[in-house]
């Protein structure tokens, strides 16, 4: 009857399993001579590991991303810190896949992020500072300019730089800040209030060729602080736009080049740049500025949009002095958050 037999309990036939070998035993798993079998946990999750390596490469090698056409490089660099969110997602996927390879690979983007942004998590430079400044795009449609000005003055900074100051709102800012800030200057839609005497106020031409001739968003002034002369530049670079064709930043980039040339020609060595630069410091479009000025100290200080800040496009940068730390202040009537910084000479 071969290998088939009768089941004595119910009279039905069943088929006996065929032996795996001549002696009826199951053979061992096949292996390549001289090699140990690779555990399954190391073979799984290779796609997750590749994604982790790609995120690490974007963090470490973002300057290599092309910026022609849709300016993908600048777009990536605008939100570069947020690539950190990929690490827990990839790690969770690795754990669900039970892949040791993928789990180990998540260390690559984690390490790349810490190298790039870890210093921003460190404590600030301590209480010692020589100057406190506030930078704020107050928005041309701010419903409460006087309240915004009082909120900034309550921080008791030495300097307050404002952008999008309209002629209609200017009297409210002047009245609210007059008592504490006897010195101020306005050029176009940018302005500077100071506790210390100011001289040599002048416009700075940062207008791109494609922009209307009436556009005026740059100024400089010499501020006479107790620690010596300080050249203060206030600027509002053109906005960038994100659409189906990518990031449009040509006007912003051209304006940054003009501003960079003005900073290079500034005769006073100690210099401070305050402004809405419409770009993060990682964005290569601001390289004409960041190549000349020191990076600020700890603090992400995301400033835009005020309702859910995802990027800091309001900047405080210095030459021959140090920005020891940045932080964002509570929201005002603007779509930007104010930024406060401490400067050490």
């Amino acid at each position: 009857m071969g290998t088939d037999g009768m089941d004595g309990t119910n009279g039905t036939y069943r088929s006996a399993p065929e032996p795996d070998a001549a002696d009826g035993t199951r053979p061992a798993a096949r292996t390549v001579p001289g090699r140990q079998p690779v555990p399954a946990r190391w073979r799984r999750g290779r796609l997750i590991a590749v994604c982790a390596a790609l995120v690490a490469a974007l963090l470490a090698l973002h300057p290599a991303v092309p910026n022609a056409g849709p300016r993908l490089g600048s777009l990536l660099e605008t939100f570069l810190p947020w690539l950190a969110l990929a690490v827990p997602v990839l790690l969770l996927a690795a754990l669900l896949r039970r892949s040791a390879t993928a789990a180990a690979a998540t260390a690559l983007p984690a390490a790349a992020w810490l190298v790039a942004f870890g210093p921003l998590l460190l404590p600030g430079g301590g209480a010692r500072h020589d100057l406190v400044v506030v930078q704020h795009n107050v928005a041309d449609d701010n419903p409460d300019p006087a309240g915004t000005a009082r909120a900034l003055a309550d921080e008791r900074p030495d300097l307050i730089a404002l952008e999008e100051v309209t002629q209609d709102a200017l009297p409210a800012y002047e009245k609210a800040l007059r008592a504490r800030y006897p010195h101020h200057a306005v050029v176009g839609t940018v302005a500077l209030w100071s506790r210390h005497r100011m001289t040599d106020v002048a416009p700075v031409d940062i207008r791109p060729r494609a922009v209307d001739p009436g556009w005026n968003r740059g100024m400089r002034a010499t501020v006479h602080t107790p620690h010596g002369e300080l050249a203060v530049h206030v600027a509002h670079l053109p906005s960038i736009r994100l659409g189906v064709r990518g990031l449009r930043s040509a006007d912003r980039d051209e304006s940054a080049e003009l501003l960079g040339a003005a900073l290079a020609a500034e005769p006073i060595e100690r210099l401070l740049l305050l402004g809405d630069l419409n770009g993060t410091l990682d964005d290569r479009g601001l390289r004409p500025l960041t190549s000349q000025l020191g990076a600020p100290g700890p603090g992400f200080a995301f400033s835009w949009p005020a309702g859910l800040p995802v990027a800091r496009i309001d900047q405080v940068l210095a030459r021959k002095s140090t920005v020891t730390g940045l932080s964002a202040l509570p929201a005002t009537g603007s779509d930007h958050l104010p930024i406060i910084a401490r400067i050490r000479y």
Side-chain angles (χ1 to χ4, degrees):
M1 298 181 63
T3 58
D4 293 333
M6 176 77 73
D7 188 334
T9 59
N10 55 19
T12 61
Y13 280 99
R14 60 181 174 81
S15 177
E18 295 186 1
D20 295 295
D23 59 359
T25 62
R26 191 174 295 274
R30 296 181 181 179
T31 60
V32 178
R35 294 185 182 179
Q36 295 294 326
V38 178
R41 66 178 181 277
W42 291 104
R43 296 196 304 268
R44 293 191 294 261
R46 292 177 181 175
L47 179 59
I48 301 171
V50 169
C51 291
L54 177 60
V55 173
L58 290 175
L59 282 163
L61 304 174
H62 60 88
V65 177
N67 213 34
R71 299 183 184 267
L72 295 178
S74 285
L75 179 60
L76 168 66
E77 289 157 348
T78 298
F79 302 104
L80 198 63
W82 293 99
L83 287 183
L85 297 179
V87 176
V89 172
L90 291 168
L91 182 58
L92 177 61
L95 295 176
L96 293 175
R97 192 74 177 87
R98 297 182 181 180
S99 168
T101 298
T106 59
L108 295 175
W113 191 92
L114 287 173
V115 169
F117 301 107
L120 298 181
L121 302 176
L122 297 175
R128 180 181 174 274
H129 59 271
D130 301 299
L131 206 67
V132 177
V133 303
V134 164
Q135 148 61 29
H136 191 27
N137 180 329
V138 293
D140 56 10
D141 59 352
N142 192 316
D144 185 16
T148 295
R150 287 192 296 268
L152 302 181
D154 285 345
E155 298 295 328
R156 298 187 179 276
D158 296 277
L159 301 173
I160 298 177
L162 304 182
E163 297 82 46
E164 294 196 15
V165 177
T166 66
Q167 290 300 309
D168 290 340
L170 179 58
Y173 290 113
E174 291 176 327
K175 181 179 179 180
L177 296 173
R178 183 180 300 122
R180 294 182 182 177
Y181 300 91
H183 311 281
H184 85 281
V186 181
V187 174
T189 57
V190 298
L192 179 66
W193 272 262
S194 172
R195 291 175 51 208
H196 311 295
R197 184 170 63 94
M198 295 195 305
T199 59
D200 303 324
V201 176
V204 177
D205 185 7
I206 59 172
R207 182 180 65 86
R209 288 163 295 183
V211 176
D212 183 84
W215 191 93
N216 194 353
R217 295 186 181 181
M219 66 167 287
R220 63 87 58 205
T222 301
V223 178
H224 299 268
T225 77
H227 306 280
E229 290 185 341
L230 175 68
V232 179
H233 285 246
V234 182
H236 184 190
L237 300 190
S239 299
I240 58 177
R241 294 288 183 265
L242 181 62
V244 293
R245 295 184 179 181
L247 192 71
R248 298 191 324 188
S249 64
D251 289 343
R252 191 279 312 270
D253 296 350
E254 183 182 350
S255 188
E257 291 180 0
L258 294 170
L259 180 56
L263 299 183
E266 174 60 57
I268 299 177
E269 286 193 352
R270 185 169 286 130
L271 180 151
L272 202 59
L273 171 60
L274 310 171
D276 175 3
L277 304 185
N278 270 305
T280 66
L281 297 185
D282 297 299
D283 188 336
R284 69 194 68 181
L286 299 186
R287 199 166 291 162
L289 309 176
T290 56
S291 62
Q292 300 185 58
L293 306 174
F300 282 97
F302 293 145
S303 64
W304 180 87
L308 183 64
V310 297
R312 187 177 79 239
I313 61 176
D314 298 271
Q315 308 295 349
V316 178
L317 300 172
R319 184 176 76 190
K320 296 296 182 179
S321 56
T322 303
V323 181
T324 60
L326 294 169
S327 57
L329 296 174
T332 66
S334 172
D335 57 341
H336 292 239
L337 295 181
I339 298 297
I340 189 168
R342 287 167 173 79
I343 314 298
R344 187 171 63 218
Y345 287 175

